[in-house]
Amino acid sequence: QKRASTLVKTKTNNLVKSWESRQTEKLARKEALELQKHLQDERRDAAVAKKERRLENEKRRAENEYRNMQKSLQTLNHAKLGSTLKAMSKKQLRQVKKTRLNTKTGVVELVP
């Protein structure tokens, strides 16, 4: 890289520019920054909307799961269910309360 003192300086350097050219460059920079900010805002809004939609779907899925469990409990034979629950120990009953069916994978998992 050459030293600054050895470079040939001309009028096209930043030493001499007309007022109009400086204003057009300033305006172009400002428009670029506005466009960049606009794109960032759009990206942020899209991410927020996606997150809200995901949360809404998870909530709806949980409600449906709860509703389906209610229906399946109603269809079970209550006498048989009562006898099996009475035969279970307290530890087993606690484990039953702590489990739930993961609707995405279909696997029974423990709920902390």
Side-chain angles (χ1 to χ4, degrees):
Q1 187 173 355
K2 296 184 177 181
R3 293 179 180 266
S5 59
T6 60
L7 293 176
V8 176
K9 293 186 171 71
T10 63
K11 284 188 174 182
T12 58
N13 287 352
N14 287 338
L15 300 175
V16 179
K17 281 190 181 178
S18 67
W19 174 254
E20 292 81 17
S21 65
R22 279 186 274 169
Q23 290 301 317
T24 55
E25 287 178 5
K26 185 178 178 181
L27 185 64
R29 264 197 317 271
K30 187 176 180 182
E31 288 176 353
L33 286 175
E34 287 177 359
L35 179 64
Q36 184 178 4
K37 185 176 181 184
H38 178 67
L39 292 176
Q40 286 175 347
D41 290 342
E42 280 184 355
R43 210 175 302 129
R44 189 179 313 114
D45 292 342
V48 167
K50 186 176 179 181
K51 182 178 180 182
E52 286 177 356
R53 186 170 182 269
R54 180 178 53 83
L55 291 174
E56 181 181 327
N57 285 343
E58 286 178 1
K59 182 181 175 186
R60 191 166 6 98
R61 190 176 291 124
E63 289 173 355
N64 289 340
E65 180 183 346
Y66 179 74
R67 216 175 302 125
N68 288 336
M69 282 298 201
Q70 291 279 344
K71 288 179 183 177
S72 65
L73 282 177
Q74 288 175 357
T75 58
L76 282 176
N77 185 359
H78 290 290
K80 182 179 179 186
L81 181 67
S83 63
T84 54
L85 285 179
K86 287 176 187 171
M88 294 173 100
S89 68
K90 287 185 178 180
K91 189 173 184 180
Q92 288 172 324
L93 287 172
R94 280 195 296 271
Q95 288 299 324
V96 169
K97 287 179 186 175
K98 289 182 182 178
T99 59
R100 76 178 182 98
L101 182 69
N102 189 345
T103 56
K104 294 177 186 171
T105 60
V107 178
V108 176
E109 59 185 20
L110 286 176
V111 177

